[in-house]
Structures are given as structure tokens and as C-alpha cells.
Amino acid sequence: MSEMKLTLKETFFRGIWKENPVAYQVLGICSALAVTVQMKTAIVMGIALTVVTGMSNLIISMLRKKIPSTIRIIVELTVIASLVIVIDQVLQAFLYDISKQLSVFVGLIITNCIVLGRAEAFALANDPLPSLLDGLGNGLGYGLILVAVAFVRELLGAGKIVGFSVIPQSWMDAGYSHMGLMVLAPGAFFIIGLLVWLKNSLPGASREEKTAQ
Amino acid sequence: MSEPAKSEQAKRRHAVKFAAIISVVCCLLITGASTGLKPFQQENRALDRQKNILRAAGIVALDAKPSRDQIQSLFREKIHEAVVDNRGNFMKPGEVQGLSLYLYREKNILKAYVIPIESRGLWGKIKGYIALEPDGRTVSGFTVYSHSETPGLGGEIEKAWFQKNFVGKKIYNSAHEFVSVSIARGSVDSLPRDTRINHVDGISGATLTGKYLTRGLKENLKQYEAVSVRLRNNKGIIRE
């Protein structure tokens, strides 16, 4: 890789903020639309993805000298898919209601480009510890955006925060009504778009800004 | 790559060997997780079905979230599993292949009977329960516990707002014929006044889900018509 050696701390925090997978790399948008109607599902999805990216990066980094380059993508996918299936089984066993709400989206972590992207771009070229941190950082970065989007959508769309109603009845009586758009996928597009804009307009938040000067 | 003079053949052999090892390890991992966790998952599914039976019968509210112990004790106390033949005669469970249903009793008085529903949906099977009052014509509740409809569109069938509309609807029309309960296209208010009691509000963007579920409800309720007729004639008393 052409990048300079980063400290472990930088490796971890880079994925969360500067090179956030959703807001900077624009990966994982599909699931970010799907699971952000409520904060509860967004939080669980964020945790599930963080575990998967962390573990897959760790395992792939440990195997990186052994993996034959001809079949490396298949090997990466096999590792990721197995991890996702195991997590899905665990959710079904211990968090059944949430697993029902997440329905197909947990299985779709396999096709989430963030996981394979980090395995290809980072884990194949770095030691296990930085790879683990990179995976966890990117997973958390994804989760952070998910929770932020879900917060806005749940608040405006259903008047709730993590399932608790926060809109007083007096507002409803006075003619307040929930914003139906927020419950639908286009609502998530607007919020994600605004978040990307907000993040990239903050000073020092993106790499483009530095190179532009 | 680390050994410089590796022949093409050795590389290929290494790839095959590596693939085989990875496959076996991953297989073992998945099999272990799936068999090890199966008892927990089955218990969750059974509990979820019991919860939906209680909801359909109106014992717990559609949007309530009862605890595991509450579900188990309410189910044990109030729900009685029964089997009927196609003429509506009650039989001992397990004795003969028959139609299964759940009776909701309060102090030995029948309050509702719950019929399992298995309908075709747009993408897969829709499974749920519909409960009828002892008069054999009024719906007391409807729930869905398993489906593969599109979240946000057809998937709304599992939401309380949709299911609430079934309460109080009739499976009989004003001419005393069996018509089942149907999902309208759009709002019920656009229908002729006398058929509104046999329809519930549709889901916008899910016309096909509504169509299939309407058909499925009719087929399932038709099978249990013998029981319903018997109850209507006996004024809500079942002789077992």
C-alpha cells in the first residue's frame, strides 16, 4: 500500500470519522436505507456489522500469507459468509424479536461492500492487530451513521426515540402529524445526503479539502 | 510468494489444499452454531406462535410486548388445543388427522376460537392466526407471525395498525352467506355501505399481497366453516 504507516489509534479512528464507510467511501448505502426506520434495528445492525468486519479482517489478516492470490476473493467471501451465518443464528437464538425485524438484512451483511472492501484494501496487506482495529473502526463508523440517520427518521417519522414516544399529546391535538416521508426509503436518502454534506463541510473532516488547497 | 522458486503446479496444489481446509473449517463452524443453538431458536419460535395466538384471541393487545413467563402462563391457563374433522366434530388431539384450532376459554366459557392461517403471499407463505367469536361470524383478531413480504409495503401486514382493522369484522354478509373477510383496495370507505363489514383497509403499494391474503383467508376459513356453522346453531356452545 502506498499509504504511510499509521499509528494504531489513527487506524481505528480513521474508519469512524475521516474515512467513514458511508459518508466518505459511500459504501453500504443499501442497508443504511433499509434498517434505519428505528434506532433499535440500526444499533443492532451496527453492532453486527462491526463484529463481522472486525473478525473477518482479523482472520483474513492472519491467513494473508497463506491465502493463494488466485482464489483470495472466494476465500474472503467464505470467511465472511460463515461469520454472518453464525451471527444470524446467534441473533435468532437470543434476540429473536430483533432478528425478526432485521429479517433479510443480517444475511445481506455478506454482500455489504464494507466488509469485503476492508478485507481487500487493508487486511490483506497489514498485521492482525491493525486489521482488527481497522475493521472495528469501519464497522463503528457505519453504525454511527446508521444511528444518526435512524434518530432523525424515527423522531420525525414516528415521534419516538429508541421506541419511546417523545412528542407530547398536546402537539398531536394541536395538529402535529408525523412525516410519512421519513418512514420510506427516500427519507433516508435525504438524511444520508445531508449528513455527507455536513460532514464534508466541517474543517479537516475530509481528505479532498487538504488536497484542494 | 514467500518461497521464490515455487512451480506453477505447486501453487495450484496449494490453492486446492487451502480451499479444502477453509471449506471444512467453515462447514464445521456453521454446523456447530446451527445445531448448538437450535433448541433456543425452536423455543423462540414456539413462544412467538403462542404470543400470536394470544394476540389474535384478544388476550393481549396487538402492540403489547408480554414477557416469556406471561405468555407461557396465559397460554397454559386460557388456551386449549383442539382438533376437528371436516364436519366440525371435535376429536382427541393426535387421534386422527384433522384441522387443528385453539379454543380460548374463560372459566369454561368459550370466548373465541383461533384458526391457523397459511396463505400464499407475493414472495412466500404468510402464516398467522385469525380468531372468531363464539357467534361463529365475528372476527375478534388477526395476526401474522411469519411472512416474506416487502418491508414497508406488503410487510405492513404484521403491523398492529393493519391487524386492528380486523377486529369486529364479519365473515358473513347481510344475506347470511359465508363471504370471509377481504382486504379492500384502498380504504373501506370507498365500498358500498353494506359490504364494509366484510372488508378491511388495504395497504397502499401492496395490492397483490392483499389479493393473495384475501384468497388465503377465504380458503382457510372455508375449511373451518363446519365448526363455525355448528357454533352459530348452538349459540356458542361446543360439545366435545
Side-chain angles (χ1 to χ4, degrees), chain B residues 8 17 47 56 63 74 86-87 91 94 97 100 111 122 136 142 144 154 165 175 178 191 206 213 225 234:
Chain B
E8 197 61 25
K17 211 163 55 180
L47 203 69
D63 41 13
L74 280 171
N86 50 17
R87 273 185 256 126
M91 296 178 299
Q97 275 279 308
S100 73
K111 290 284 184 186
L122 180 56
F142 169 73
V144 171
N165 293 331
F178 170 76
L191 296 168
L213 187 57
E225 250 305 90
N234 292 345

Side-chain angles (χ1 to χ4, degrees), chain B residues 118-151:
Chain B
E118 204 178 303
S119 163
R120 191 191 150 178
L122 180 56
W123 303 117
K125 270 194 179 144
I126 298 171
K127 292 181 186 173
Y129 296 100
I130 190 161
L132 297 174
E133 284 179 17
D135 67 0
R137 58 185 96 209
T138 312
V139 179
S140 66
F142 169 73
T143 57
V144 171
Y145 66 87
S146 153
H147 71 86
S148 7
E149 304 307 289
T150 320

Side-chain angles (χ1 to χ4, degrees), chain B residues 17-48:
Chain B
K17 211 163 55 180
F18 191 86
I21 293 171
I22 277 282
S23 313
V24 170
V25 171
C26 288
C27 275
L28 288 175
L29 194 70
I30 293 170
T31 318
S34 128
T35 42
L37 297 171
K38 199 166 231 164
F40 296 99
Q41 295 170 355
Q42 278 169 342
E43 201 195 325
N44 283 333
R45 285 199 201 100
L47 203 69
D48 191 49

Side-chain angles (χ1 to χ4, degrees), chain A residues 120-135:
Chain A
E120 271 282 291
F122 198 90
L124 274 181
N126 288 282
D127 287 335
L129 184 62
S131 296
L132 173 69
L133 290 174
D134 176 79

Side-chain angles (χ1 to χ4, degrees), chain B residues 58-187:
Chain B
I59 301 169
V60 296
L62 284 173
D63 41 13
K65 290 195 176 93
S67 73
R68 170 182 292 254
D69 294 339
Q70 280 172 317
I71 295 170
Q72 281 168 341
S73 71
L74 280 171
F75 194 86
R76 219 178 304 122
E77 197 182 313
K78 297 179 193 277
I79 303 290
H80 176 79
E81 248 184 287
V83 177
V84 290
D85 67 9
N86 50 17
R87 273 185 256 126
N89 299 310
F90 279 82
M91 296 178 299
K92 277 196 190 117
E95 194 180 79
V96 206
Q97 275 279 308
L99 303 165
S100 73
L101 76 166
Y102 301 88
L103 306 174
Y104 163 32
R105 287 206 190 108
E106 201 84 69
K107 295 193 183 97
N108 269 329
I109 296 166
L110 185 72
K111 290 284 184 186
Y113 57 108
V114 185
I115 295 169
I117 298 289
E118 204 178 303
S119 163
R120 191 191 150 178
L122 180 56
W123 303 117
K125 270 194 179 144
I126 298 171
K127 292 181 186 173
Y129 296 100
I130 190 161
L132 297 174
E133 284 179 17
D135 67 0
R137 58 185 96 209
T138 312
V139 179
S140 66
F142 169 73
T143 57
V144 171
Y145 66 87
S146 153
H147 71 86
S148 7
E149 304 307 289
T150 320
L153 300 172
E156 293 292 294
I157 53 169
E158 65 175 15
K159 298 283 167 66
W161 73 263
F162 176 71
Q163 299 175 353
K164 264 180 193 149
N165 293 331
F166 280 82
V167 180
K169 298 288 173 179
K170 309 274 183 195
I171 61 166
Y172 264 61
N173 67 8
S174 44
H176 303 291
E177 291 158 341
F178 170 76
V179 289
S180 172
V181 54
S182 306
I183 290 110
R185 292 189 63 168
S187 167

Side-chain angles (χ1 to χ4, degrees), chain A residues 26-120:
Chain A
V26 200
L27 297 175
I29 297 292
C30 175
S31 54
L33 303 180
V35 297
T36 51
V37 178
Q38 293 171 3
M39 285 185 77
K40 211 164 96 185
T41 48
I43 292 167
V44 175
M45 186 71 177
I47 294 170
L49 192 105
T50 306
V51 174
V52 173
T53 33
M55 294 286 287
S56 80
N57 264 13
L58 178 68
I59 294 170
I60 286 161
S61 171
M62 288 193 303
L63 294 172
R64 74 186 187 282
K65 295 205 175 104
K66 294 267 176 239
I67 297 176
S69 59
T70 40
I71 56 165
R72 81 172 187 280
I73 297 215
I74 300 175
V75 170
E76 284 162 20
L77 269 180
T78 312
V79 171
I80 294 164
S82 308
L83 282 171
V84 170
I85 293 171
V86 170
I87 287 187
D88 190 30
Q89 297 286 331
V90 170
L91 284 179
Q92 278 184 33
F94 300 111
L95 293 167
Y96 188 72
D97 286 335
I98 289 175
S99 116
K100 252 180 106 171
Q101 277 169 27
L102 288 171
S103 61
V104 296
F105 300 115
V106 173
L108 287 179
I109 292 179
I110 299 170
T111 61
N112 192 317
C113 348
I114 298 169
V115 190
L116 190 60
R118 290 332 288 172
E120 271 282 291

